Amino acid sequence: MQLRRRGADAVIDVMDEGPGISPEERGRVFEPFYQGNTVYTGPVKGTGLGLAIVREYATVHQGSAEIIDDGSPGAHLRVILPTRQMEAAA
């Protein structure tokens, strides 16, 4: 994970080394309850709400959440939040 300031925005990049997000699924991963087609083998199966909540939070705060296609293995997600909103709330 990386956090940096870009102009008046806070930019949060989250990357993993998993299977990534297929181009066919990129339009849906922020939908509530969408779990994708990858078979999960871990101890806890998710509900498909995490990325929907992330995008809703970012949007409510006049920011954005997006998938970055940088050619690296795994998923790369970016959340951008305006710091002027965060400073006003503090």
Side-chain angles (χ1 to χ4, degrees):
M1 184 172 89
Q2 298 175 343
L3 170 64
R4 68 184 186 283
R5 192 169 201 151
R6 183 174 70 191
D9 296 329
V11 179
I12 305 161
D13 283 298
V14 179
M15 294 88 56
D16 70 20
E17 296 176 1
I21 302 169
S22 70
E24 298 81 28
E25 294 183 310
R26 290 181 185 173
R28 299 199 58 204
V29 296
F30 292 104
E31 294 176 10
F33 303 108
Y34 184 74
Q35 296 182 347
N37 295 321
T38 303
V39 177
Y40 185 74
T41 59
V44 179
K45 183 167 173 41
T47 60
L49 288 173
L51 291 178
I53 292 169
V54 167
R55 179 168 273 175
E56 182 68 20
Y57 180 89
T59 301
V60 165
H61 291 87
Q62 287 78 50
S64 63
E66 60 189 349
I67 299 166
I68 303 299
D69 187 5
D70 60 5
S72 63
H76 181 171
L77 298 143
R78 178 172 291 155
V79 177
I80 301 173
L81 296 169
T83 57
R84 63 189 170 279
Q85 292 287 12
M86 291 187 277
E87 292 165 357

